[in-house]
Structures are given as C-alpha cells and as structure tokens.
Amino acid sequence: MTETLRPAFVDRPRPLLSYGIPFPAAAALHVDDLFHASRVYIICSGSLARNTDALDRLVAAIGAKKVVGKRIGMQSHTLWSEVLEVANAAREVEADCLITLGAGSLTDAAKVVALVSLPLVLHTSLTPLQTSNPQRRIPIMYRQDKLAVRSYLHVQYTMTSPGGPHPPTIYIHIELTTTTTTTTTTTTTTTTQHPTNQQPKKKKALANNATTMTALAALPTGPSQSADLHPPSIPIISIPTALSAGEYSSFAGATHDTTRRKHSFRSPTRGPGLVILDPGLTTTTPARVWLSTGVRAVDHGVETSCAARGTPTTETDQLARHALGLLVPGLLRTARDPADGAARLDCQLGAVEAMAAVTAEHGALQLGASHGIGHQLGPLGVGHGETSCILLPAVCKYNAAHGANRDRQEKLKQFLLKRAEVVDVLRRQGKEDLDQVDLGDVLDAVIRELGMPRSLREVGVGRDKLDSLAENSLHDRWCQTNPVPLKEKSQVLEILEMVVQ
C-alpha cells in the first residue's frame, strides 16, 4: 500500500491529507516526522472504544509510552463543560499533540481545547543562567508542518556589578532563528534584565488560559470576545469516521451547558494540521451517522454553490460541483452496499472538495440558513447531519420562493440531473416530469432514498421548541448571510413550519 500525502486544498498548505495506508500506521508516522511529538493525548469516540479495537491499534502503533492521556467519549455538539474537562486533563499531562479518533464533535472539542489553554513549552537547558558561558545556542522544538526543520535560541548576555548590597544585573539579548526548507528567519527581542538572585518569570505562549465556564465565555466570536486572544500552538491530528468535514476548517462550535445555545469559535482558532482518511475504519460508523453526515457535506456544497454573499468564482463553483458529483452517487452506493470501499473514499474526498469550496480564500463565500438554523437545532438532540437532512430542501425552497438565487439553484439542479443515479431516484419516487421539479425536490428525493429523517417530528422536536429555536437562530451569522437574510423570528418560523411534521 502507498500513502498519498498532500495538502487538502490547493491554495493552502494545511491541513495535510493522508490516505492509502491504515490509519494507525499513518498516525504513528506523522506524530514523529511532521509534529515531532512525544506526549500525545487522544480524544476517542465512545462507541469506537467500546465496540472496536481501533483505539488499541492506534495506541500500539504510536507507542504506549507516547500516549500520555485518553478521553473516551463526548456528548454531541461539544458541551463547554466537557471541553474544560479535556483541556484540564491535557494540560495536566503536558500534551504536545491532540489526536481525535471519531466524528465531528470530537474535532470541534479539540479545536477549542487547543485554543483554551495549551501553551507551546520551549524546553531549554538555560536554567539557571551560567555566567561562565555568556553565549548559548539552544535548540528548541517548533511544531508546525513539514516546512519547519529546526529553531534555535541565540542568547548572549553581559553582567554588571554596581557594588554594595545590590545584586548584579544581567542584560540579555535573545534572537530566535527558524530554519526551514526555503528560508531562515531571525527575530530579535528587546534587551531585558533581571537580578541574578531571581529567576526570570516564565511567560506562557498563550493567554487563553480558561479553566472555568466564565473564562471560556470570553473566547467565542461575538461582542463579549476578549481582545487579547492568542492562536493555539498545539497540533491536532484528526482521524474522522463520518463526513461532516469540520476537520477541514478553523471554525468550531461548542454548546453552553445551561442555555443550550451553540457558540461559534473562529479566529484565532485553528483546525487540524493533518487529517487521516481510512475508508475501512468508516465501516464501523452506524449507517445513519455515515449517511446523514454525508448529507451535511452535500449541504456544504449546495449552500456554497447557491451562495449570494461573498464572491462566487469559477473555482468555487467547480469545487462545489465536483464535491457533489462524488458525494451524491457515493452516498447512494454506500447505502446499497456498506462494504463498497471505493464509494466510501469517494464520499470522503467529496467532503474535502466541499470544504475547499466553503473555505476558499478568494471566494470568501457565506453559507446560509440550513447551517445557521442547524447549529441551533443540534443542541436539541439532533445529530449534525440530521439537521441538514431536515432543513436543506426547505431552505432552498424558501430562498427560491422569496426570489433569491433562483438562477444558481437551477444550474445546480441541472448539474445533478445529469447523474443517472439521481434521475433514477426521482422516478422511483414518482417524479417523472423533471421540468417540474426544483432543487429542493431533488434534494428531498435523494435524502428520502437514503432513509434519512425529513421532519422535526421524526427527531423528537415538537412545536413547543420552535419559538426558542427561531430566537437562537437569529444570532447565528449564517442566518444573517442566507440569500434571503433572516432578520426576524417570523422568517425562521416560516422555514420551520415547512419541516415540523
């Protein structure tokens, strides 16, 4: 077997994407050669840990001595309390790499954990200062990607003795030199000083040291966000078992335990540096999770292709359509034959392409209300993917009915109708006249063919939840960037009424 290792997106160096070899071998290889990590903390799906040997295989490949901690299982939609539990545990064992093994909530958790409190620790031998050696060249660990080879601290100091009871003062001049495969960069500090009978204060690389719910509340995007946030330095490796594809973005969502509102964590949050795909591992994923998260990836492609905010380009259109050309047939094939490994890899690569379109730097496209309302529907006990199964066709119909993005919806519909599998699905469901169907109808037919839920009633959300769901949705940025911006609760309720039964 041969590994493919490449950037997930052509316009960005990270995350890197690995596939073609079993996930334990890929993880063990890259913990060493990419991240030079020696203290790995694993966040693993509870069902994978209980029902498979996936975690044991991963630990054996990396080496038990390198795995300094494990978190088994987290609730869906990433509760703040659990994020803090994991952050505290990882901090306690001085983890220098996080690995997630499982579906989307774990990846969101890892992104927020890395943001919360895990500093980059520079291990040096300059403690205490030795006056017999006034110049030191100290190697340090620089964890980034393959470009970073080594870094050194160049320390030079001089000592003056004022005499009397006053201790000598040491003036320190520090240069940080980072050598990469293409360039060498030197950063010089200002001169600092401290008495020799005192140790210099250790300064953490991050100031996001949240250990309580109150402190965590200063990190999400919004008016209460702290102005003094620093980017995380600890790397994340993601080994996904589903198709939501959150591992390809720097965004994270986490749910407040009390309000059940899902908050968005954006800049300076960072996503994984490496994503490892293994179609064989995904056969352990329950069919409902695999297929529904696949529809979530379809949602990425559809809302990107139909976006009215941002700057759609030929590139983003091509990425979105290529993604849907892999995802829709691949999902239909895996629904018929769960052992079809080629179809599973098509789905995984389609999810990558969909996120490439969503996150393309030149397009800067904004998603719509299927994502926006879905973020708030999830904390009511609905899976990530199932929110898209329920909402996406209705949002398309709402936007078209209100005169938004009709041309883009029509073009996407025609693209999907070129797929024989899609036409067959429509005809099996009695939609013979293809001129009379719209994009919402096509998506509805595909989702029903996959056996996924199409109403709130099917996932246990009743009318008594609609008002608060609509209210919370108005705070989501992607409701505001919907092709028909959702500014009033009544607009959200109009969409919800389409899917309540």
Side-chain angles (χ1 to χ4, degrees), residues 43-245:
I43 308 172
C44 181
S45 155
S47 60
L48 273 181
R50 290 189 301 269
N51 303 325
T52 78
D53 64 351
L55 178 58
D56 293 338
R57 291 165 58 203
L58 179 61
V59 171
I62 294 171
K65 290 184 178 180
K66 284 187 178 180
V67 178
V68 295
K70 293 175 281 189
R71 168 71 183 224
I72 308 300
M74 296 189 73
Q75 294 187 49
S76 297
H77 302 288
T78 318
L79 295 179
W80 284 20
S81 59
E82 294 192 334
V83 166
L84 291 172
E85 289 171 4
V86 175
N88 290 336
R91 185 189 303 110
E92 179 70 22
V93 297
E94 299 181 354
D96 61 4
C97 181
L98 300 176
I99 297 181
T100 64
L101 179 61
S105 292
L106 305 184
T107 306
D108 273 3
K111 294 177 194 177
V112 183
V113 166
L115 177 68
V116 164
S117 62
L118 294 172
L120 173 62
V121 179
L122 303 181
H123 298 286
T124 79
S125 57
L126 193 68
T127 304
L129 290 170
Q130 299 174 359
T131 57
S132 61
N133 183 8
Q135 297 193 48
R136 303 292 297 275
R137 186 172 186 264
I138 306 160
I140 64 172
M141 183 180 297
Y142 185 84
R143 293 185 288 271
Q144 183 85 19
D145 55 30
K146 271 192 167 179
L147 292 178
V149 176
R150 62 181 63 87
S151 298
Y152 291 93
L153 283 178
H154 298 259
V155 180
Q156 183 176 4
Y157 60 87
T158 58
M159 182 171 65
T160 62
S161 298
H166 303 289
T169 298
I170 294 179
Y171 295 86
I172 304 174
H173 177 81
I174 300 177
E175 291 183 354
L176 172 63
T177 299
T178 299
T179 304
T180 72
T181 54
T182 58
T183 186
T184 298
T185 302
T186 299
T187 302
T188 305
T189 69
T190 57
T191 302
T192 60
Q193 60 180 343
H194 64 86
T196 55
N197 63 350
Q198 296 180 14
Q199 290 297 322
K201 292 182 179 179
K202 295 181 179 179
K203 188 174 183 180
K204 290 188 174 181
L206 300 181
N208 314 329
N209 196 30
T211 58
T212 66
M213 298 276 277
T214 300
L216 184 56
L219 303 187
T221 303
S224 299
Q225 187 180 48
S226 169
D228 183 29
L229 295 185
H230 296 260
S233 59
I234 189 167
I236 302 170
I237 299 173
S238 177
I239 309 171
T241 56
L243 295 167
S244 294

Side-chain angles (χ1 to χ4, degrees), residues 145-369:
D145 55 30
K146 271 192 167 179
L147 292 178
V149 176
R150 62 181 63 87
S151 298
Y152 291 93
L153 283 178
H154 298 259
V155 180
Q156 183 176 4
Y157 60 87
T158 58
M159 182 171 65
T160 62
S161 298
H166 303 289
T169 298
I170 294 179
Y171 295 86
I172 304 174
H173 177 81
I174 300 177
E175 291 183 354
L176 172 63
T177 299
T178 299
T179 304
T180 72
T181 54
T182 58
T183 186
T184 298
T185 302
T186 299
T187 302
T188 305
T189 69
T190 57
T191 302
T192 60
Q193 60 180 343
H194 64 86
T196 55
N197 63 350
Q198 296 180 14
Q199 290 297 322
K201 292 182 179 179
K202 295 181 179 179
K203 188 174 183 180
K204 290 188 174 181
L206 300 181
N208 314 329
N209 196 30
T211 58
T212 66
M213 298 276 277
T214 300
L216 184 56
L219 303 187
T221 303
S224 299
Q225 187 180 48
S226 169
D228 183 29
L229 295 185
H230 296 260
S233 59
I234 189 167
I236 302 170
I237 299 173
S238 177
I239 309 171
T241 56
L243 295 167
S244 294
E247 56 272 9
Y248 301 104
S249 85
S250 295
F251 305 132
T255 303
H256 192 285
D257 294 55
T258 304
T259 66
R260 309 306 294 180
R261 177 182 164 191
K262 197 165 194 176
H263 294 258
S264 176
F265 292 76
R266 298 167 65 191
S267 179
T269 308
R270 288 178 178 165
L274 174 68
V275 181
I276 298 172
L277 304 181
D278 187 336
L281 176 64
T282 70
T283 60
T284 65
T285 304
R288 180 159 175 153
V289 175
W290 173 259
L291 296 173
S292 65
T293 57
V295 175
R296 182 67 163 182
V298 168
D299 197 349
H300 299 330
V302 169
E303 290 215 313
T304 299
S305 186
C306 296
R309 301 299 176 94
T311 308
T313 65
T314 300
E315 177 191 6
T316 56
D317 283 346
Q318 288 176 344
L319 287 169
R321 292 179 186 180
H322 185 230
L324 294 170
L326 290 171
L327 280 163
V328 174
L331 290 170
L332 293 169
R333 286 163 57 196
T334 56
R336 292 192 300 269
D337 180 8
D340 188 337
R344 285 181 174 273
L345 183 58
D346 279 351
C347 290
Q348 289 182 304
L349 295 177
V352 177
E353 294 292 284
M355 286 303 295
V358 170
T359 61
E361 293 181 350
H362 297 300
L365 298 176
Q366 301 296 322
L367 300 178

Side-chain angles (χ1 to χ4, degrees), residues 313-441:
T313 65
T314 300
E315 177 191 6
T316 56
D317 283 346
Q318 288 176 344
L319 287 169
R321 292 179 186 180
H322 185 230
L324 294 170
L326 290 171
L327 280 163
V328 174
L331 290 170
L332 293 169
R333 286 163 57 196
T334 56
R336 292 192 300 269
D337 180 8
D340 188 337
R344 285 181 174 273
L345 183 58
D346 279 351
C347 290
Q348 289 182 304
L349 295 177
V352 177
E353 294 292 284
M355 286 303 295
V358 170
T359 61
E361 293 181 350
H362 297 300
L365 298 176
Q366 301 296 322
L367 300 178
S370 180
H371 282 76
I373 301 173
H375 287 161
Q376 306 309 322
L377 176 58
L380 298 182
V382 184
H384 283 97
E386 292 178 358
T387 67
S388 292
C389 295
I390 294 165
L391 290 165
L392 180 58
V395 169
C396 288
K397 284 184 170 290
Y398 174 87
N399 288 334
H402 288 266
N405 69 8
R406 287 177 179 168
D407 290 345
R408 297 188 69 80
Q409 287 200 38
E410 179 63 22
K411 289 178 182 177
L412 186 55
K413 183 196 82 169
Q414 293 300 332
F415 171 80
L416 292 173
L417 290 181
K418 292 178 182 177
R419 297 282 174 177
E421 303 96 325
V422 174
V423 174
D424 289 343
V425 166
L426 287 165
R427 287 176 175 162
R428 278 198 296 274
Q429 296 187 20
K431 295 179 172 63
E432 296 286 345
D433 189 349
L434 300 183
D435 290 333
Q436 297 301 309
V437 300
D438 59 21
L439 179 59
D441 295 326

